[in-house]
Amino acid sequence: MPIKPGATLDLGKQSGLPALLREAMAHHNQGEIALAARCYQKILRIAPDHFDATHLLAVVNAQRGNNDRARALFARALDLHPDHAEVHFNKGTMEKAAGDLNAAVTDFGRAIGAAPDHAGALNNRSLAFQEMRLFDRSLLDSDRLVELAPSDPVAWNNRGVLLHDMMRLDEALSCLNEALRLKPDYAEALNNRGNVLKERHQLDSAIADYDSASAINPDFAEAHFNKGIVRLLQGDYADGWRLWEWRWRQTRLSSPRRDFTAPLWLGDTDLAGKTILLHSEQGLGDTMQFIRYAPMVADLGASIVLEAPKVLHPLLRTVTGTGALVGKDEALPDFDLHCPLMSLPLAFGTTLDTVPAPGAYCSVSPDRVDGWAARLGPSTKPRVALAWRGNTDNVNDHNRSARLEDIWPLLSPDVEWLCLHHDLDTSETEIAGPVGHLRTPLDGDTDLEDAAAICALSDLVVTVDTSFAHIAGALGKTSLVMLPFTPDWRWMMHRSDTPWYDGMTLFRQDESRDWGRVIKEVAAALEALPIRPPDS
């Protein structure tokens, strides 16, 4: 729930200036915040301790993004009225929007302490706890909210999204059905129900909900984008890549749209003699997967400037046609056209039968490989590189990552396992230490190229769905990839192979979402593979 500029006023308790305050409020509620700010400031010049003007000027500054000034004004308002629920609520809403979830939770807690039935504070604290992945605490606030407002479709919708995050899918579906019973044209709830149905693998029903949501609101980017995800999962690349472009219009996007003067290229312009900027987006694995298109772009006669995270540059410079490499946030040279890497499948009309370069298309520096061969020394066992988790910043990491404590008993002692993680936490270090067949060669002084060198030296790679899967695939390594029950779109549904990488076998959770079962299947596959110790 947003900041509410007019929610706290009691003009009868003001010592003066009621007409000017009403004028300020009118401007504020009509979105004329510059005029409102002038009126509030005028009031404060006359009456420096005017509570409402202080509070609402804080709100204006929060709405303008002047958060430091807003905090000072909120603090002054609370000096004047320490237990005012709306001041705490509005400050918490600002802190949540600014990303300081701990401060937001504190502020919402104070609002609830002052007004236990404050629906806005309960809702926003629930959402903040959810974003912090403190699901049980979020659910307590959601419980109270639906108790207070059982006819509020927003409360049921938000509860459904929370229960989806908790993987309590039947309950999530029930909540979203209730939201839609209360408000049949609730596009957001239709979209969210589609997401739950996708997680239950009811893909056609999910698409029907996305279509209904976009029929209600044709500009609802999330509904179009989510439909595209399902189309890609189904292998319908023609519709999927087209809908994938809606990602740029979503309200929450990990990689914001780039507003270049040079036009976007989607395959409809002659590239001969032109310079094109290819720029990465989203994760490291996405960059490694889609850089395979660079040689195809170069074959059209273009000179390529590639903007990508510098940590990947040692690998990317070995890809044919990548041209000039530029780090993120570095100055760019002149270019005629641009294209995000993940729009290249649309530009080239990629189908399941025309996925390019499924074999090796990059390599690791021989010096780096030789250095690691010396550091690791000879082995009397097959070597398998292992990654059991991804980047915790990924919103889906809790689904795609396993835990070392669950999988280490299933790691065969007949294999030398080489951990690809450089940042083991305390519990992982305590587990790995006594396991003689699990080596942890990487640390804070190593980089991604070191991990890639370990992949190159290993007989094969075992990983969850993280960047290491794409690095192994791009290196042409035999790899076994462990996937959650509902996988990322690129792995599609049910199949054990992928058109994106030769030599890759996919192992999928069943509905139990048990990683132990997947690891057992991987162990059985390892037993069947004709791998031999590298130095035998």
Side-chain angles (χ1 to χ4, degrees), residues 19-256:
L20 185 55
L21 188 59
R22 282 193 291 269
E23 179 186 351
M25 279 188 59
H27 289 310
H28 203 162
N29 288 323
Q30 291 168 16
E32 300 166 343
I33 60 175
L35 292 174
R38 291 193 200 107
C39 292
Y40 296 140
Q41 288 162 347
K42 185 174 180 180
I43 292 171
L44 291 172
R45 283 195 295 271
I46 300 168
D49 291 340
H50 196 290
F51 168 73
D52 280 326
T54 303
H55 172 207
L56 295 177
L57 186 59
V59 171
V60 165
N61 278 275
Q63 291 171 322
R64 286 174 157 177
N66 301 328
N67 290 349
D68 289 341
R69 177 61 178 152
R71 289 186 185 97
L73 288 163
F74 280 130
R76 175 62 181 148
L78 289 168
D79 286 340
L80 297 168
H81 200 327
D83 296 321
H84 202 284
E86 289 299 322
V87 180
H88 290 298
F89 169 72
N90 284 333
K91 181 176 180 294
T93 302
M94 177 194 74
E95 301 290 8
K96 182 175 180 295
D100 191 342
L101 297 179
N102 288 313
V105 163
T106 298
D107 289 325
F108 294 138
R110 289 170 178 162
I112 294 164
D117 293 345
H118 195 298
L122 285 164
N123 178 74
N124 282 11
R125 189 172 69 172
S126 178
L127 294 174
F129 279 140
Q130 183 178 355
E131 196 169 342
M132 297 165 77
R133 312 210 73 77
L134 299 174
F135 293 140
D136 289 341
R137 297 175 74 176
S138 178
L139 191 60
L140 288 174
D141 282 344
S142 179
D143 287 342
R144 180 61 180 147
L145 194 60
V146 297
E147 180 183 322
L148 285 171
S151 298
D152 182 0
V154 175
W156 288 105
N157 172 70
N158 290 350
R159 184 178 177 82
V161 175
L162 170 61
L163 289 164
H164 180 188
D165 281 351
M166 298 175 76
M167 284 296 150
R168 291 163 59 170
L169 299 181
D170 290 345
E171 294 169 86
L173 193 59
S174 177
C175 289
L176 293 164
N177 285 339
E178 178 64 10
L180 288 163
R181 185 188 70 79
L182 294 165
K183 185 176 174 20
D185 62 347
Y186 195 172
E188 289 79 6
L190 283 163
N191 176 66
N192 292 329
R193 189 172 69 178
N195 292 339
V196 173
L197 292 168
K198 182 189 78 171
E199 192 66 46
R200 289 160 60 104
H201 293 191
Q202 297 171 248
L203 301 187
D204 291 337
S205 295
I207 286 175
D209 271 353
Y210 298 139
D211 284 341
S212 295
S214 56
I216 294 167
N217 179 4
D219 294 325
F220 190 8
E222 282 77 3
H224 293 289
F225 176 75
N226 288 332
K227 179 181 176 180
I229 293 292
V230 173
R231 287 300 193 202
L232 292 169
L233 270 171
Q234 294 174 320
D236 180 356
Y237 280 7
D239 203 24
W241 297 130
R242 177 184 61 82
L243 292 166
W244 177 249
E245 291 301 298
W246 279 88
R247 68 194 184 279
W248 302 116
R249 297 174 60 179
Q250 295 183 99
T251 53
R252 299 181 69 178
L253 181 66
S254 59
S255 299

Side-chain angles (χ1 to χ4, degrees), residues 228-385:
I229 293 292
V230 173
R231 287 300 193 202
L232 292 169
L233 270 171
Q234 294 174 320
D236 180 356
Y237 280 7
D239 203 24
W241 297 130
R242 177 184 61 82
L243 292 166
W244 177 249
E245 291 301 298
W246 279 88
R247 68 194 184 279
W248 302 116
R249 297 174 60 179
Q250 295 183 99
T251 53
R252 299 181 69 178
L253 181 66
S254 59
S255 299
R257 184 170 187 157
R258 309 290 291 278
D259 292 321
F260 296 117
T261 303
L264 172 67
W265 182 78
L266 288 178
D268 50 0
T269 304
D270 184 6
L271 290 184
K274 303 287 182 63
T275 297
I276 185 169
L277 172 69
L278 303 181
H279 45 100
S280 65
E281 52 171 302
Q282 301 184 43
L284 300 179
D286 300 302
T287 300
M288 292 305 302
Q289 179 177 4
F290 292 101
I291 194 60
R292 71 182 66 217
Y293 284 88
M296 298 171 66
V297 175
D299 286 345
L300 295 177
S303 296
I304 294 173
V305 175
L306 174 62
E307 183 197 51
K310 295 194 78 169
V311 69
L312 290 176
H313 285 196
L315 298 175
L316 296 175
R317 69 169 52 100
T318 70
V319 178
T320 302
T322 48
L325 279 170
V326 181
K328 288 288 189 181
D329 301 321
E330 291 185 347
L332 292 168
D334 292 337
F335 53 92
D336 303 304
L337 301 156
H338 78 96
C339 185
L341 284 179
M342 299 181 78
S343 291
L344 288 171
L346 175 64
F348 284 98
T350 301
T351 68
L352 287 178
D353 296 325
T354 62
V355 171
Y361 51 86
C362 80
S363 60
V364 185
S365 159
D367 289 343
R368 190 70 63 108
V369 173
D370 291 344
W372 273 102
R375 289 174 67 174
L376 292 173
S379 176
T380 59
K381 302 177 182 178
R383 277 180 168 151
V384 177

Side-chain angles (χ1 to χ4, degrees), residues 410 515-525:
L410 303 171
W515 283 117
R517 186 194 61 80
V518 179
I519 289 290
K520 288 177 183 177
E521 291 184 0
V522 168

